[in-house]
Coordinates of all heavy atoms in Angstrom, one line a residue:
S23 N -142.2 119.8 -95.3 CA -141.3 120.9 -95.2 C -140.0 120.6 -95.9 O -138.9 120.9 -95.4 CB -141.1 121.3 -93.7 OG -140.6 120.2 -93.0
F24 N -140.0 119.9 -97.0 CA -138.8 119.4 -97.7 C -138.0 120.7 -98.0 O -138.4 121.6 -98.7 CB -139.2 118.7 -99.0 CG -138.1 118.2 -99.8 CD1 -137.5 116.9 -99.4 CD2 -137.5 118.8 -100.9 CE1 -136.5 116.4 -100.1 CE2 -136.5 118.3 -101.6 CZ -135.9 117.1 -101.2
D25 N -136.7 120.6 -97.6 CA -135.9 121.9 -97.7 C -134.6 121.7 -98.4 O -133.7 122.6 -98.2 CB -135.7 122.5 -96.3 CG -134.9 121.7 -95.4 OD1 -134.5 120.5 -95.7 OD2 -134.6 122.1 -94.2
T26 N -134.4 120.6 -99.1 CA -133.1 120.5 -99.9 C -133.4 121.1 -101.2 O -134.0 120.6 -102.2 CB -132.8 119.0 -100.1 OG1 -132.7 118.3 -98.9 CG2 -131.4 118.8 -100.8
H27 N -133.0 122.4 -101.3 CA -133.4 123.3 -102.4 C -133.1 122.6 -103.8 O -133.9 122.7 -104.7 CB -132.7 124.6 -102.3 CG -133.2 125.5 -101.2 ND1 -134.2 126.5 -101.4 CD2 -132.9 125.5 -99.9 CE1 -134.4 127.0 -100.2 NE2 -133.7 126.4 -99.3
A28 N -131.9 122.0 -103.9 CA -131.4 121.5 -105.2 C -132.3 120.3 -105.7 O -132.4 120.1 -106.9 CB -130.0 121.0 -105.1
N29 N -133.0 119.7 -104.7 CA -133.8 118.5 -105.1 C -135.3 118.8 -105.1 O -136.1 117.8 -105.3 CB -133.5 117.3 -104.1 CG -132.1 116.8 -104.3 OD1 -131.5 117.0 -105.3 ND2 -131.6 116.2 -103.2
I30 N -135.7 120.0 -105.0 CA -137.1 120.3 -105.0 C -137.8 119.9 -106.3 O -138.9 119.4 -106.3 CB -137.4 121.8 -104.6 CG1 -137.1 122.0 -103.1 CG2 -138.8 122.2 -105.0 CD1 -137.2 123.5 -102.7
P31 N -137.2 120.2 -107.5 CA -137.9 119.9 -108.7 C -138.2 118.3 -108.8 O -139.3 117.9 -109.2 CB -136.9 120.3 -109.8 CG -136.2 121.5 -109.2 CD -136.0 121.1 -107.8
K32 N -137.2 117.5 -108.4 CA -137.4 116.1 -108.5 C -138.4 115.7 -107.5 O -139.3 114.8 -107.8 CB -136.0 115.4 -108.1 CG -136.1 113.9 -108.1 CD -134.7 113.3 -107.8 CE -134.8 111.8 -107.7 NZ -133.5 111.2 -107.3
H33 N -138.4 116.2 -106.3 CA -139.4 115.9 -105.3 C -140.8 116.3 -105.7 O -141.8 115.5 -105.6 CB -139.1 116.6 -104.0 CG -139.9 116.2 -102.8 ND1 -140.1 114.9 -102.4 CD2 -140.6 117.0 -101.9 CE1 -140.9 114.9 -101.3 NE2 -141.3 116.1 -101.0
F34 N -140.9 117.5 -106.3 CA -142.2 117.9 -106.9 C -142.8 116.9 -107.9 O -144.0 116.6 -107.8 CB -142.0 119.3 -107.5 CG -143.3 119.9 -108.1 CD1 -144.1 120.8 -107.4 CD2 -143.7 119.5 -109.4 CE1 -145.2 121.3 -107.9 CE2 -144.9 120.0 -109.9 CZ -145.7 120.9 -109.1
N35 N -142.0 116.5 -108.8 CA -142.5 115.6 -109.8 C -143.0 114.3 -109.2 O -144.0 113.7 -109.7 CB -141.4 115.3 -110.8 CG -141.0 116.5 -111.7 OD1 -141.9 117.4 -111.9 ND2 -139.8 116.6 -112.2
A36 N -142.3 113.7 -108.2 CA -142.7 112.5 -107.6 C -144.0 112.7 -106.9 O -144.9 111.8 -107.0 CB -141.6 112.0 -106.7
V37 N -144.1 113.7 -106.2 CA -145.4 114.0 -105.4 C -146.5 114.3 -106.3 O -147.7 113.9 -106.1 CB -145.2 115.1 -104.4 CG1 -146.5 115.4 -103.6 CG2 -144.1 114.7 -103.4
D38 N -146.2 115.1 -107.4 CA -147.3 115.5 -108.3 C -147.9 114.2 -109.0 O -149.2 114.2 -109.1 CB -146.7 116.4 -109.4 CG -147.8 117.1 -110.2 OD1 -148.7 117.6 -109.6 OD2 -147.6 117.1 -111.5
A39 N -147.1 113.3 -109.4 CA -147.6 112.1 -110.1 C -148.5 111.3 -109.1 O -149.6 110.9 -109.5 CB -146.5 111.2 -110.6
A40 N -148.1 111.1 -107.9 CA -148.9 110.4 -106.9 C -150.1 111.1 -106.5 O -151.2 110.5 -106.3 CB -148.0 110.1 -105.7
A41 N -150.0 112.4 -106.4 CA -151.2 113.2 -105.9 C -152.3 113.3 -107.0 O -153.5 113.2 -106.7 CB -150.7 114.7 -105.6
K42 N -151.9 113.4 -108.3 CA -152.8 113.4 -109.3 C -153.5 112.1 -109.5 O -154.7 112.0 -109.8 CB -152.2 113.8 -110.6 CG -151.9 115.3 -110.7 CD -151.1 115.7 -112.0 CE -150.9 117.2 -112.0 NZ -150.1 117.7 -113.2
A43 N -152.8 111.0 -109.3 CA -153.3 109.7 -109.4 C -154.4 109.4 -108.3 O -155.4 108.7 -108.5 CB -152.2 108.6 -109.3
S44 N -154.2 110.0 -107.1 CA -155.1 109.8 -106.0 C -156.2 110.9 -105.9 O -157.2 110.7 -105.1 CB -154.3 109.8 -104.7 OG -153.7 111.1 -104.4
G45 N -156.0 112.0 -106.6 CA -157.0 113.1 -106.5 C -156.8 114.0 -105.3 O -157.7 114.8 -105.0
N46 N -155.6 113.9 -104.6 CA -155.3 114.7 -103.5 C -154.4 115.8 -103.8 O -153.8 115.9 -104.8 CB -154.7 113.8 -102.4 CG -155.7 112.8 -101.8 OD1 -156.9 113.2 -101.6 ND2 -155.3 111.6 -101.5
V47 N -154.3 116.7 -102.8 CA -153.4 117.9 -102.9 C -152.2 117.6 -102.0 O -152.3 117.3 -100.8 CB -154.1 119.2 -102.5 CG1 -153.1 120.4 -102.4 CG2 -155.2 119.6 -103.5
G48 N -151.0 117.9 -102.5 CA -149.8 117.8 -101.7 C -149.0 119.1 -101.9 O -148.7 119.5 -103.0
I49 N -148.8 119.8 -100.8 CA -148.1 121.1 -100.8 C -146.7 120.8 -100.2 O -146.6 120.4 -99.0 CB -148.8 122.2 -100.1 CG1 -150.2 122.3 -100.6 CG2 -148.0 123.5 -100.3 CD1 -151.0 123.5 -99.9
I50 N -145.7 121.0 -100.9 CA -144.3 120.7 -100.5 C -143.5 121.9 -100.2 O -143.8 123.0 -100.6 CB -143.6 119.8 -101.5 CG1 -143.3 120.6 -102.8 CG2 -144.3 118.5 -101.8 CD1 -142.2 120.0 -103.7
S51 N -142.4 121.7 -99.5 CA -141.4 122.7 -99.2 C -142.0 123.9 -98.5 O -141.8 125.1 -98.9 CB -140.7 123.1 -100.5 OG -140.0 122.0 -101.1
V52 N -142.9 123.6 -97.5 CA -143.5 124.7 -96.7 C -142.8 125.0 -95.4 O -142.3 124.1 -94.7 CB -145.0 124.2 -96.4 CG1 -145.6 125.2 -95.4 CG2 -145.8 124.0 -97.6
G53 N -142.6 126.2 -95.2 CA -141.8 126.6 -94.0 C -141.4 128.1 -94.2 O -142.2 128.9 -94.8
W54 N -140.2 128.4 -93.7 CA -139.8 129.8 -93.9 C -138.7 129.9 -95.0 O -138.6 130.9 -95.7 CB -139.5 130.5 -92.7 CG -138.4 129.9 -91.8 CD1 -138.5 129.0 -90.8 CD2 -137.0 130.3 -91.8 NE1 -137.3 128.7 -90.2 CE2 -136.4 129.5 -90.8 CE3 -136.2 131.3 -92.5 CZ2 -135.0 129.6 -90.5 CZ3 -134.9 131.4 -92.2 CH2 -134.3 130.6 -91.2

């Protein structure tokens, strides 16, 4: 539920690289 709006693009890139390397799905910034 990462909610620091200004840092979402940076967080996305970090998670995307790790998730693709492992073959898993990571859904970030989930909430309202």
Side-chain angles (χ1 to χ4, degrees):
S23 57
F24 184 81
D25 66 357
T26 306
H27 291 262
N29 293 337
I30 287 175
K32 179 180 178 181
H33 186 54
F34 180 96
N35 290 337
V37 176
D38 192 48
K42 286 178 177 174
S44 65
N46 290 321
V47 171
I49 308 181
I50 67 163
S51 300
V52 173
W54 57 274

